[in-house]
Amino acid sequence: MFIPFPNTAKDFLKRLKRCFSVFWLPAVLALLFAVQNQMFNQWLNIVPQFYLLRRVAVTFALGILLYGPAVMFGKKGKHVYLAAISLALSLIFTAHFLYYRFFGAFLQASALRYAGQTADESGAIKTLLTFKLLLFWLNFLAVAAVSVFSFWRGWAEAVLSKKEKVFAALGILIIGFSGYGFLFAMEKYEWGDTSRLYSKIYDMATLVGKAGIINFSLEDLAKSALRGNRVSGEDFKFVEAWAASRPGNGGAGGQYFGLLKNRNVILIQVESLEEAVIGKEIAGQEITPNLNRLAKEGLYFPNYYDQVGPGNTADAEFSIMNSLYPLPDSVAFIDYAKNKYSALPQLLGENGYCSYVLHGDVPTFWNRSNAYPGLGYSQWIGRDEFSAARQVGFGGLGDGDFFNQAAIKLENFSQPFLATLITLTSHSPFELPEDLRTLNLPQQPGLDLNQQNYLESIRYVDQAIGQFVEKLKQDGLYENSLILIYGDHGSFSGIGQALGDDQNILPAFHNSHVPLVVLAPGSGLKGANNAPASHLDLYPTIANLLGIIPPKSVLGQDILNTKDPAVVLRNLASGSLNTVLTDNLAFEASSDGEFKNGQCLQMPGKLALPVEDCRQLYEQQSAKLRVSDTVIRSDRLDLLLK
Ligand code: GP9
Ligand code: MN
């Protein structure tokens, strides 16, 4: 009969031996599992200095949860179970290790769909093989060796009684809960909530750093299973009907078609750059003297807006490169990185261009190393390929260093090229060393410290852009390029209102109002264009200027040709349409989402109109959101491409 506590020392020893014979192997395997996770991160240099304690705690806990149930079986069942779990883990570790060494990215379940369609990588895999992989097979080898010995030598292995199994199950669960509890408690202590472990993931390496690669995989698998049926048969029918009756793709082949044929395209995506700072003075100084000058040299769009959801910078990139709407509840670069897209770099690639993306951050931030290849970029130049003369602002690589080195790299790109340059320094918290602050801002009435710091960091990036454009001129790249400079999204600092941003901007757009400067030297394209436009419109506009017909999947419009420009803002909670702006109408949805309770306004001037005057606009734009969401969530862009 089961007695929880021993009566004598002899009895105690007997029990200890019995316990040992049941538990030692799963316990050793769980410890080895924690070591494997640790070495995986260390060898691949995944934020090695951080999160050691929580990683060890949670990976040991997972090891116990995975290997522990073996104690519920008889001898044979136990060995078969341990061998199966070990084999699965060894394979998963190996796949992740090789994938990361090859792509600098974490293998996501969504990538497996296309596993058979990728080029034969056996040659590359051979070069990635290393003796380090043996560590990830040690668990399987250990189980195999122990099993052979145990059966060969006829080792007696105790089998737990029913009550003992209940205690063992409790023990496993307690260790499991403690490990994950510790991870969650640390996260809460650090950030106030635990959402950075599952919904608000910015840098994939941070998640792997905290929880280990197998936890990452389990979460990724669970998420991709849950995402499975977000799209209904009705949605597909809707997209097909919409695609069949759509008027055209972004106004392809309009005025200026091919005006800039074969020019290089340089996109400068400026972190948190708001329209409100352009052309403004503070304490008698221009905030952005270089951008102001460039805006006058080229085309300027003062009525331009970002399109971002929870993925901020990554959503700006996503919406620009695909001319699709970012999702309201998910970061497409993370959750739909491996979809089949028909993006701008890919289109230009098919038309003789090489395409490069340059950004001074780690490749795992916003899962870029997984997302960029799908957009068709030929090369991704990240932080490791830049050197920082000194640590400046967010990420450490100041925009000054970034642009100086980028200019040298651009000289060596084969032409024509597309180069997307993404800046970093003007990211919150807008910290800039004293000697790089060039605005003389005495106590500024109406501006808080955060807003003053923001202006300083914008002045810094403005200077860096000014020098970069000068360098392009010296290198002879300026004249044969099309250059677009725009903000990725707002600064969320309230600077627009503080500087008295245009009273005609609809309140909902205050955090989305960013500038767009288009430089097409020698082309005659010049002046201000007040048409409302957004990130979605860049793709068809660039394609038209280069004389390339964009694919039918673009949902934006050529800004220089469209007769009915429109910008849409959506509710991130429900995904429904929040505000639409055209050149003569605006619709503001009510909080209950009911069309009839919304407001229809004449623009500019915001004169109230009967809500029915906006019905057609509302329906057209809501349909576009549904189409965009459906093709992204189902990975069925082909429905639009037919
Ligand atoms: C990170 C940088 C900032 O690489 O692009 O991203 P954000 O926080 O603005 O989305
Ligand atoms: Mn950003």
Side-chain angles (χ1 to χ4, degrees):
M1 200 187 118
F2 177 79
I3 307 163
F5 299 104
N7 293 331
T8 62
K10 201 174 156 201
D11 188 25
F12 175 72
L13 278 179
K14 207 169 136 194
R15 268 168 194 282
L16 204 63
K17 208 172 146 196
R18 187 174 139 72
C19 262
F20 184 77
S21 85
V22 176
F23 290 107
W24 79 271
L25 188 54
V28 166
L29 289 169
L31 273 173
L32 174 61
F33 179 71
V35 172
Q36 288 170 319
N37 273 283
Q38 170 57 21
M39 295 317 291
F40 182 95
N41 286 20
Q42 201 163 311
W43 284 333
L44 296 176
N45 207 20
I46 297 162
V47 283
Q49 65 277 45
F50 301 124
Y51 315 124
L52 179 69
L53 260 187
R54 64 191 92 170
R55 182 166 68 239
V56 169
V58 79
T59 52
F60 178 69
L62 177 61
I64 291 289
L65 287 170
L66 289 171
Y67 288 116
V71 303
M72 305 294 167
F73 300 106
K75 180 176 171 180
K76 197 169 155 200
K78 175 177 157 187
H79 285 265
V80 170
Y81 176 86
L82 289 177
I85 294 286
S86 295
L87 181 64
L89 290 176
S90 299
L91 286 169
I92 297 172
F93 268 124
T94 305
H96 273 293
F97 195 80
L98 295 176
Y99 189 88
Y100 191 87
R101 287 194 76 198
F102 191 70
F103 294 105
F106 299 107
L107 178 57
Q108 294 181 287
S110 51
L112 299 175
R113 271 175 302 157
Y114 298 119
Q117 294 173 35
T118 50
D120 178 17
E121 303 290 3
S122 47
I125 289 176
K126 266 186 218 149
T127 67
L128 298 173
L129 292 179
T130 150
F131 281 110
K132 287 175 178 160
L133 283 171
L134 269 181
L135 175 72
F136 304 120
W137 286 88
L138 214 57
N139 47 343
F140 182 67
L141 294 175
V143 173
V146 171
S147 300
V148 168
F149 265 100
S150 180
F151 285 98
W152 177 38
R153 290 295 182 98
W155 285 350
E157 289 184 35
V159 176
L160 298 182
S161 68
K162 267 194 182 155
K163 279 190 179 169
E164 283 170 330
K165 283 182 185 168
V166 172
F167 270 83
L170 270 177
I172 290 169
L173 288 176
I174 287 170
I175 295 175
F177 275 115
S178 310
Y180 283 90
F182 180 69
L183 171 70
F184 278 67
M186 291 293 284
E187 197 64 15
K188 195 141 196 228
Y189 171 73
E190 203 171 34
W191 298 105
D193 67 37
T194 55
S195 58
R196 278 172 179 77
L197 291 172
Y198 38 86
S199 57
K200 291 189 188 155
I201 299 167
Y202 304 106
D203 185 356
M204 313 300 277
T206 312
L207 179 60
V208 177
K210 288 171 183 169
I213 190 67
I214 306 297
N215 270 313
F216 166 89
S217 259
L218 291 175
E219 178 175 307
D220 174 57
L221 273 170
K223 276 185 178 169
S224 87
L226 290 173
R227 278 198 298 270
N229 42 25
R230 298 286 310 269
V231 177
S232 67
E234 284 302 305
D235 291 324
F236 285 128
K237 279 191 207 140
F238 185 84
V239 172
E240 275 165 341
W242 186 89
S245 66
R246 74 174 296 189
N249 44 331
Q255 199 190 357
Y256 310 123
F257 185 75
L259 177 71
L260 308 178
K261 200 169 174 50
N262 280 330
R263 280 210 191 187
N264 303 312
V265 181
I266 302 173
L267 305 182
I268 302 178
Q269 179 169 308
V270 185
E271 178 60 45
S272 307
L273 174 64
E274 294 209 15
E275 205 282 332
V277 298
I278 304 296
K280 293 263 172 32
E281 286 196 355
I282 191 98
Q285 309 148 84
E286 279 184 285
I287 301 166
T288 56
N290 293 288
L291 289 174
N292 299 348
R293 180 174 45 78
L294 294 171
K296 285 190 191 119
E297 274 179 36
L299 270 171
Y300 185 59
F301 293 83
N303 209 5
Y304 182 81
Y305 301 89
D306 74 55
Q307 290 286 344
V308 304
N312 297 338
T313 306
D315 279 347
E317 294 182 60
F318 178 83
S319 52
I320 289 165
M321 292 305 156
N322 292 303
S323 194
L324 294 169
Y325 291 95
L327 293 165
D329 54 355
S330 165
V331 180
F333 262 30
I334 293 180
D335 294 329
Y336 300 93
K338 289 297 168 190
N339 277 16
K340 280 202 183 308
Y341 292 110
S342 190
L344 180 65
Q346 188 187 330
L347 178 74
L348 297 198
E350 288 158 8
N351 285 274
Y353 278 70
C354 285
S355 52
Y356 306 85
V357 53
L358 301 90
H359 182 45
D361 206 350
V362 291
T364 46
F365 207 103
W366 287 132
N367 201 26
R368 286 183 171 103
S369 40
N370 264 333
Y372 281 157
L375 300 182
Y377 276 118
S378 351
Q379 207 182 326
W380 150 221
I381 301 170
R383 186 163 79 182
D384 287 351
E385 287 162 76
F386 290 92
S387 57
R390 61 188 290 199
Q391 294 290 300
V392 173
F394 185 88
L397 177 73
D399 294 337
D401 277 334
F402 171 69
F403 277 113
N404 283 339
Q405 292 164 48
I408 297 166
K409 291 179 197 296
L410 256 63
E411 276 177 60
N412 297 314
F413 291 166
S414 64
Q415 298 188 34
F417 62 76
L418 160 72
T420 308
L421 283 74
I422 303 166
T423 75
L424 257 188
T425 309
S426 47
H427 192 284
S428 64
F430 318 123
E431 279 163 354
L432 203 61
E434 204 53 49
D435 62 307
L436 297 178
R437 299 161 77 97
T438 54
L439 275 175
N440 183 12
L441 287 180
Q443 271 304 314
Q444 205 54 50
L447 287 187
D448 63 28
L449 186 63
N450 190 45
Q451 290 164 342
Q452 293 189 22
N453 290 343
Y454 171 70
L455 294 183
E456 290 284 7
S457 66
I458 286 297
R459 170 56 101 83
Y460 168 78
V461 64
D462 174 79
Q463 274 181 341
I465 292 172
Q467 284 163 13
F468 175 71
V469 172
E470 277 314 301
K471 185 81 175 54
L472 292 180
K473 287 181 180 169
Q474 287 161 21
D475 295 341
L477 280 174
Y478 185 69
E479 294 297 323
N480 64 344
S481 295
L482 161 66
I483 303 167
L484 283 84
I485 309 171
Y486 52 87
D488 62 347
H489 50 71
S491 64
F492 307 99
S493 68
I495 193 71
Q497 292 92 318
L499 293 177
D501 196 7
D502 188 345
Q503 293 309 303
N504 263 337
I505 300 299
L506 298 170
F509 283 121
H510 269 146
N511 268 317
S512 312
H513 191 206
V514 296
L516 168 66
V517 176
V518 177
L519 298 167
S523 69
L525 292 177
K526 219 170 150 55
N529 183 328
N530 211 40
S534 82
H535 284 345
L536 262 77
D537 302 323
L538 297 190
Y539 186 164
T541 307
I542 294 168
N544 187 61
L545 288 170
L546 298 180
I548 301 170
I549 303 283
K552 287 183 178 168
S553 56
V554 302
L555 297 185
Q557 312 179 67
D558 175 358
I559 318 175
L560 299 175
N561 277 295
T562 181
K563 301 257 175 319
D564 40 17
V567 178
V568 177
L569 191 83
R570 67 197 310 189
N571 289 312
L572 292 191
S574 63
S576 64
L577 184 147
N578 175 306
T579 308
V580 195
L581 173 67
T582 72
D583 48 7
N584 60 353
L585 279 182
F587 174 76
E588 293 175 325
S590 69
S591 54
D592 63 10
E594 289 277 341
F595 169 74
K596 62 177 179 14
N597 297 331
Q599 281 222 52
C600 187
L601 306 170
Q602 192 178 61
M603 294 300 283
K606 301 185 189 171
L607 188 77
L609 295 172
V611 70
E612 281 305 319
D613 289 8
C614 279
R615 182 176 284 282
Q616 199 193 2
L617 176 66
Y618 171 82
E619 283 173 1
Q620 272 171 356
Q621 300 304 324
S622 298
K624 271 194 175 184
L625 291 178
R626 184 171 176 190
V627 165
S628 184
D629 290 359
T630 302
V631 297
I632 299 168
R633 291 196 208 278
S634 62
D635 189 11
R636 289 295 310 275
L637 200 72
D638 59 291
L639 292 174
L640 298 178
L641 294 171
K642 279 186 223 162

